[in-house]
């Protein structure tokens, strides 16, 4: 597939589109401030949506400023609009023409503000408060003034797109669609006010179904389709959907017919066995932090496809809409990971419970997402091995995720100290000796019951046990070159020849473990001080792409 020919690459949200939109990215006025109040002056310029810590922002200061302010002007016709913020870290207040119109808390959940605007020029001001608090959902952001281990420069303020969409007096507030292997379409739709909704479903521009929902504000239901084409990596078939409120609002989205299941110790998609060849991707971009431009997303996904992976573990981040859109079209399976907090407290629990439903709703329609990872390596839940209350909380969150979205699998605690209710037993192991790795993991029974995984803990937390789930080595590898300034796992390779041999041997060792349902190699690119990527931070390959592909596919 030629990614550059996909039709909606320039839309702010290709997964939920309105035809009339205005992107508000670009140069804004900016200021470091002392409190959440509009300053008298804005003495700097910033390029939105890059955060001030990045070179591309035009500011490039890495120290934490807890309070910041943005301002810009924009022109519109007299109409109703939706103002979208796809990502702002952390606490946000939005003012239109100096009147506060909205406040939001949380970095990884988007928010939308309905506005009625007169014809002419308007001013938008955004105030942001962010901290090093460990109970915030942070992902890989550091919690002190310097980088350490695998934690990197924090990002503050606007870090994803800002845009306007024109609407009528009534409009769609929520549009969720999914399809299963039997042709059953499930939908969940919210409107501002009661109205009829016309829904048209297309496959490759051919109308396959059309129906009208009548007179309600909320619609939740199913629709049976026949002669469907299933979605998979080999055949990423998407069905387009157009929804209309007559003379008021029109949106377009898409979904795929697919069912992901765990049974008999294996993964299946549409009743066919699935072996995942995944790459861990942290989504940091050279001089841009966590904010990619269109060409960056296209390049990363193109490279991943070219070198033979069929899946990506999006690690400790929620990606931009364009990333999911391209992955959906390529059929690259995704694990959507909830960014971690780093303390176990009531504030942390509230944060997790508030953010997760919004994250799920944002990504619901993307069929490429097949798994949610709720916690990683016990971050934020350090007592999970023995603390029954902590285990109960994790199980509760897992059950809530299943309630919000029953179409995907859920991993409760990736790495070790897993709980019985997990859908996949996912383990991390950074043993660098390929022979030792194969020998340590060849005995499945020992791995499940006695082995200390990655020198940290047993596969299951105390009081929990294996229930026949698929097993995936969801982190391994991490080799680095001696010429790199940062760190990798184990001793650095002396030269490219040694590096290539290490990759060949470590991938071969993992393939010998025939009870596995897949793996995830660490990682796609170098990130700041962590230099164990297959590519450098600027996306230059450490080996020729064809050599990488042969190693990954075992050719």
């Amino acid at each position: 597939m030629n990614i550059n020919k996909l039709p909606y690459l320039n839309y702010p949200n290709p997964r939920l589109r309105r035809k009339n939109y205005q992107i508000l990215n670009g140069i804004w006025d900016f200021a470091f401030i002392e409190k959440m109040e509009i300053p008298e002056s804005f003495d700097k310029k910033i390029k939105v949506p890059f955060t001030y810590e990045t070179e591309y922002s035009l500011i490039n200061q890495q120290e934490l400023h807890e309070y910041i302010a943005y301002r810009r002007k924009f022109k519109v016709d007299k109409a109703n609009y939706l103002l979208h913020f796809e990502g702002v870290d952390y606490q946000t207040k939005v003012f239109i023409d100096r009147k506060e119109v909205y406040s939001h808390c949380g970095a990884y959940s988007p928010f939308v503000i309905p506005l009625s605007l007169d014809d002419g020029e308007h001013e938008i001001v955004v105030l942001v408060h962010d901290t090093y608090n460990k109970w915030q959902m942070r992902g890989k952001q550091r919690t002190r003034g310097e980088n350490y281990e695998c934690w990197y420069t924090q990002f503050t303020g606007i870090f994803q797109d800002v845009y306007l969409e024109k609407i009528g007096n009534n409009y769609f507030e929520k549009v969720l669609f999914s399809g299963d292997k039997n042709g059953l379409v499930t939908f969940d739709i919210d409107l501002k006010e009661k109205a009829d909704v016309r829904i048209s479903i297309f496959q490759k521009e051919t109308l396959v179904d059309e129906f009208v929902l009548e007179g309600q504000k909320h619609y939740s239901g199913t629709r049976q389709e026949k002669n469907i084409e299933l979605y998979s990596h080999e055949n990423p078939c998407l069905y387009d959907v157009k929804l209309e409120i007559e003379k008021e609002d029109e949106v377009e989205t898409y979904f795929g017919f697919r069912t992901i299941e765990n049974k008999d110790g294996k993964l299946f998609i549409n009743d066919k066995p699935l072996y995942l060849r995944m790459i861990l991707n942290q989504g940091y971009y050279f001089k841009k932090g966590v904010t990619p431009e269109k060409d960056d997303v296209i390049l990363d996904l193109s490279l991943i496809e070219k070198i033979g992976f069929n899946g990506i573990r999006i690690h400790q981040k929620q990606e931009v809409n364009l990333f999911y859109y391209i992955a959906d079209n390529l059929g690259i399976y995704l694990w959507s990971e909830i960014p971690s907090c780093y303390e176990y407290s009531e504030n942390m629990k509230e944060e997790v419970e508030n953010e997760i439903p919004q994250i799920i709703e944002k990504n619901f329609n993307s069929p490429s997402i097949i798994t949610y990872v709720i916690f990683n390596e016990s971050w934020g839940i350090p007592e999970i091995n023995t603390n029954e209350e902590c285990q109960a909380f994790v199980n509760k969150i897992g059950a809530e995720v299943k309630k919000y979205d029953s179409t995907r699998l859920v991993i409760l605690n990736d790495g070790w100290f897993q709980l019985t209710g997990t859908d996949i037993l996912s383990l991390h192991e950074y043993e660098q000796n390929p022979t030792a790795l194969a020998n340590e993991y060849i005995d499945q029974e020992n791995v499940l019951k006695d082995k200390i995984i990655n020198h940290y803990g047993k596969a299951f937390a105390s009081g929990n046990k294996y229930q026949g789930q698929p097993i995936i080595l969801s982190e391994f590898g991490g080799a680095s070159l001696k010429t790199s300034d940062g760190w990798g796992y184990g001793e650095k390779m002396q030269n490219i020849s040694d590096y290539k041999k290490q990759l060949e041997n470590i991938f071969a060792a993992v393939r010998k473990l025939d009870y596995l349902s897949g793996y995830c190699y660490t990682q796609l690119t170098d990130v700041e001080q962590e230099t164990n990527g297959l590519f450098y931070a600027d996306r230059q390959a450490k080996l020729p792409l064809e050599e990488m592909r042969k190693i990954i596919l075992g050719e």
Side-chain angles (χ1 to χ4, degrees), residues 284-309:
Y284 278 72
Y285 298 87
F286 191 52
K287 300 181 181 181
K288 302 174 185 177
V290 295
T291 306
E293 296 180 286
K294 179 178 71 173
D295 288 347
D296 299 315
V297 177
I298 292 173
L299 176 60
D300 276 8
L301 289 166
S302 297
L303 291 172
I304 288 167
E305 183 185 39
K306 284 178 182 177
I307 61 178
F309 292 108

Side-chain angles (χ1 to χ4, degrees), residues 7 28 35 45 75 173 193 207 240 250-251 257-259 266 268 290 300-301 382 394 407 413 434 481 486 511 518:
W28 291 46
K35 54 186 176 180
K45 299 288 186 181
K75 292 182 179 180
E173 294 181 330
E193 301 170 353
L207 181 67
D240 293 307
E250 179 180 310
V251 298
F257 288 101
R258 63 99 179 92
T259 299
K266 301 295 181 184
F268 292 84
V290 295
D300 276 8
L301 289 166
V394 174
T407 72
N413 185 29
L481 283 162
R511 280 193 293 271

Side-chain angles (χ1 to χ4, degrees), residues 181 259-263 266-271 409 470:
K181 65 184 180 183
T259 299
I260 181 77
E261 296 174 287
N262 59 339
K263 53 187 178 181
K266 301 295 181 184
L267 288 174
F268 292 84
I269 185 161
N270 306 325
D271 296 323
L409 303 180

Side-chain angles (χ1 to χ4, degrees), residues 54-70:
T54 67
E55 189 172 323
Y56 268 60
S57 73
L58 309 179
I59 295 176
N60 198 25
Q61 293 186 22
Q62 283 73 54
E63 63 270 24
L64 175 66
H65 293 270
E66 291 197 5
Y67 297 94
I68 59 177
Y70 300 80

Side-chain angles (χ1 to χ4, degrees), residues 261-421:
E261 296 174 287
N262 59 339
K263 53 187 178 181
D264 303 322
K266 301 295 181 184
L267 288 174
F268 292 84
I269 185 161
N270 306 325
D271 296 323
K272 295 182 179 180
L274 173 62
Y275 187 90
L276 288 171
R277 304 183 307 275
M278 296 192 296
I279 184 71
L280 185 143
N281 183 27
Q282 304 205 61
Y284 278 72
Y285 298 87
F286 191 52
K287 300 181 181 181
K288 302 174 185 177
V290 295
T291 306
E293 296 180 286
K294 179 178 71 173
D295 288 347
D296 299 315
V297 177
I298 292 173
L299 176 60
D300 276 8
L301 289 166
S302 297
L303 291 172
I304 288 167
E305 183 185 39
K306 284 178 182 177
I307 61 178
F309 292 108
N310 66 1
I312 303 169
R313 180 179 168 204
I314 301 173
H315 186 47
Q316 291 295 301
K317 185 188 178 187
Q318 291 297 305
E319 272 295 353
V320 295
N321 289 309
L322 183 64
F323 187 99
Y324 299 103
Y325 169 66
I326 296 175
D328 289 335
N329 278 275
L330 292 177
I332 297 177
Y333 300 121
L334 302 179
W335 282 15
S336 177
E337 185 171 335
I338 304 302
S340 291
C341 310
Y342 293 95
E343 73 173 32
Y344 189 64
S345 64
E346 292 305 312
N347 283 337
M348 169 269 197
K349 292 179 184 179
E350 183 177 350
E351 173 89 344
V352 169
E353 292 187 278
N354 286 341
E355 284 274 87
I356 286 179
Q358 299 175 74
I359 290 171
I360 290 174
E361 182 175 323
K362 172 185 176 180
N363 296 327
F364 186 89
N365 292 7
S366 284
S368 61
I369 299 175
I370 61 171
T371 303
Y372 296 117
V373 180
I374 309 303
F375 292 97
N376 177 69
E377 293 186 350
S378 306
W379 294 344
I381 47 170
E383 302 301 320
I384 190 172
N385 185 36
T386 56
N387 186 314
E388 292 184 1
E389 187 276 333
C390 181
Q391 291 184 14
F393 171 72
V394 174
N395 280 321
K396 173 188 173 186
I397 296 300
E400 289 178 355
V401 170
K402 285 284 192 180
K403 180 181 177 181
Y404 299 137
D405 184 356
S406 62
T407 72
R408 296 172 169 100
L409 303 180
V410 174
I411 295 172
L412 296 176
N413 185 29
D414 200 64
W416 46 85
F417 292 150
Q418 189 54 268
L419 301 184
T420 301

Side-chain angles (χ1 to χ4, degrees), residues 147-178:
N147 290 9
Y148 52 94
E149 299 176 28
C150 61
W151 286 273
Y152 321 118
T153 307
Q154 76 285 341
F155 53 92
T156 309
I158 298 170
F159 66 95
Q160 289 191 15
D161 290 336
V162 184
Y163 62 99
L164 284 165
E165 291 180 313
K166 184 183 284 188
I167 54 171
N169 292 319
N170 197 5
Y171 59 91
F172 293 99
E173 294 181 330
K174 179 172 71 173
V175 176
L176 305 183
F177 272 80
S178 65

